[in-house]
Amino acid sequence: MIAHAAWHVATVSATHPETPSARRIVLDIPDWPGNLAGQHVDVRLTAEDGYQASRSYSIASSGDAPSIELAVDRVASGEVSPYLVDDLMVGDQLEVRGPLGGWFVWRPDPAHRPVQLIAGGSGVVPIAAIVRAHRAALDVTPLRLLYAVRTPDDVFFRSELDREAADPGPTAVHVDYVFSRRAPDGAPRPAGRLTRELLGELVLPPQQNPLVFVCGSTPFVERVLGWLKELGHEVDDVRAERFGGA
Amino acid sequence: MQKLDGNVLAGPLSEVMTGDATSAHARCVHCGDVAVIAQAVVYADGSRFVARCRRCDSVLLTIVEAGDDVRLTMTGVTAFTMPV
Ligand SMILES: Cc1cc2nc3c(=O)[nH]c(=O)nc-3n(C[C@H](O)[C@H](O)[C@H](O)COP(=O)(O)OP(=O)(O)OC[C@H]3O[C@@H](n4cnc5c(N)ncnc54)[C@H](O)[C@@H]3O)c2cc1C
Ligand SMILES: [Zn+2]
């Protein structure tokens, strides 16, 4: 069951730097009905003169708690994201509509259908919610994550992802990074852009019938969707979420 | 104008329908493709959204949020089926 979406008043209870360009924001929402992993909210800002702007942000958390976690990347000269990353302060209030979306979501799965997660940059936010929900539920569904990101400093949810990598147990998510600009020492491959060949190597093959989630900038998602099709994945086995950007 | 997909319509559509309309299936009246609304190609300009068929690019629906009003025009879809 998906909770009914409505506007809520949210109060910023904490902020943390996530990367040099991104920030994690915790919002307290007393009447929040809870949300599923992968859902998002619409955040609405109102200026003193009444001008309003709203943008969608994925929720990095899930469950029944009356609070949600967002992670916002600064888009240079953007209208909303620089404000959220640089100016918003603990105690500030925002209007938030949600929980939203019912298709780009994952629930603990009694059938244990394998899941391939593919994230580009900040597109990892709803994917991180899925990784965390999988761990919280002690679900044994095989999950694999391919995370394409510029440099090691740009990785979101580092501690959550390191915890998966460090866990030898059968339920840990297998994480592969593709660093486009700079790879850390000892990385399995040098820095370079994601290619179709690499994608084919690092994602579960169609023969395993995975459900695939792809999220990131629109050009990233569209490139990956094209390659997945060429690799033999059925379009309706792939769930995509485009964040925008040229 | 941003190129997105039907997931972004979840908020605006929640103002006119209960339940998650982005999980609804609909058929494109132009080419017959059946997809969930989340799979549509969406062009967003502020609070104006145009959803197009992923297969033939015809307009499926438009939705405009202006203040407290939401205007939905569904000219390009049929057999709109909400999960219950
Ligand atoms: C369903 C959904 C979930 C999202 N979740 C997140 C999230 O969890 N974290 C997050 O940081 N963002 C997320 N986004 C993107 C977010 O909604 C905004 O688009 C983003 O913050 C930019 O807003 P802005 O007002 O700063 O820029 P705008 O003023 O809207 O845009 C300014 C310029 O930047 C370009 N631009 C816009 N968005 C991007 C982008 N993503 N990448 C590169 N260039 C861009 C535009 O083409 C435009 O030219 C999500 C988007 C959607 C649709
Ligand atoms: Zn069509």
Side-chain angles (χ1 to χ4, degrees):
Chain A
M1 203 36 221
I2 291 182
H4 183 61
W7 285 102
H8 302 270
V9 174
T11 306
V12 179
S13 64
T15 67
H16 314 278
E18 186 72 37
T19 72
S21 68
R23 186 194 220 188
R24 206 178 304 195
I25 299 167
V26 184
L27 298 175
D28 280 348
I29 310 173
D31 55 353
W32 186 248
N35 65 275
L36 299 169
Q39 287 192 293
H40 66 273
V41 290
D42 289 343
V43 171
R44 183 164 70 186
L45 304 177
T46 305
E48 273 167 28
D49 64 1
Y51 173 77
Q52 293 187 324
S54 86
R55 295 290 183 275
S56 300
Y57 292 98
S58 297
I59 308 169
S61 52
S62 64
D64 296 331
S67 82
I68 61 173
E69 222 175 281
L70 309 180
V72 178
D73 202 16
R74 186 193 306 110
V75 168
S77 72
E79 197 173 298
V80 170
S81 62
Y83 171 78
L84 296 177
V85 175
D86 302 322
D87 300 332
L88 189 71
M89 293 194 301
V90 169
D92 285 352
Q93 293 194 318
L94 297 169
E95 285 180 290
V96 160
R97 178 168 58 192
L100 299 174
W103 190 73
F104 195 89
V105 300
W106 180 82
R107 298 172 177 83
D109 177 11
H112 306 312
R113 180 177 182 187
V115 174
Q116 176 68 53
L117 307 167
I118 304 175
S122 58
V124 76
V125 178
I127 304 259
I130 294 175
V131 170
R132 291 162 130 188
H134 176 262
R135 174 159 292 268
L138 305 172
D139 190 293
V140 300
T141 300
L143 253 67
R144 193 168 169 155
L145 165 61
L146 168 54
Y147 186 7
V149 62
R150 280 184 302 238
T151 77
D153 296 338
D154 297 305
V155 171
F156 285 54
F157 303 100
R158 165 120 259 165
S159 62
E160 286 85 347
L161 298 179
D162 283 351
R163 181 173 61 195
E164 297 296 331
D167 179 353
T171 62
V173 178
H174 180 96
V175 185
D176 292 297
Y177 292 96
V178 174
F179 294 102
S180 59
R181 298 212 188 134
R182 178 170 56 82
D185 293 341
R189 65 193 76 79
R193 275 163 73 89
L194 182 62
T195 60
R196 189 183 69 169
E197 290 61 39
L198 205 47
L199 190 78
E201 253 172 63
L202 299 177
V203 307
L204 298 171
Q207 294 75 15
Q208 290 186 29
N209 189 34
L211 181 60
V212 186
F213 290 85
V214 186
C215 187
S217 71
T218 299
F220 173 83
V221 168
E222 297 195 338
R223 226 165 27 242
V224 168
L225 291 180
W227 289 333
L228 288 171
K229 198 171 165 196
E230 290 167 17
L231 291 165
H233 295 268
E234 292 292 331
V235 317
D236 290 327
D237 289 333
V238 182
R239 299 189 177 198
E241 185 156 276
R242 293 163 178 79
F243 275 9
Chain B
M1 190 147 76
Q2 290 263 71
K3 186 182 184 192
L4 301 168
D5 54 44
N7 295 297
V8 75
L9 301 180
L13 286 172
S14 75
E15 302 291 344
V16 289
M17 292 180 216
T18 45
D20 172 47
T22 66
S23 307
H25 281 88
R27 181 183 303 131
C28 169
V29 297
H30 190 76
C31 76
D33 184 53
V34 175
V36 299
I37 296 297
Q39 292 174 304
V41 176
V42 171
Y43 294 91
D45 183 2
S47 296
R48 307 170 60 87
F49 303 90
V50 178
R52 292 179 171 272
C53 175
R54 62 175 180 174
R55 189 166 110 188
C56 77
D57 207 41
S58 326
V59 174
L60 300 174
L61 60 88
T62 63
I63 184 160
V64 180
E65 286 200 273
D68 290 335
D69 286 337
V70 181
R71 187 192 306 149
L72 170 64
T73 310
M74 288 178 101
T75 44
V77 290
T78 179
F80 186 90
T81 312
M82 284 279 281
V84 283

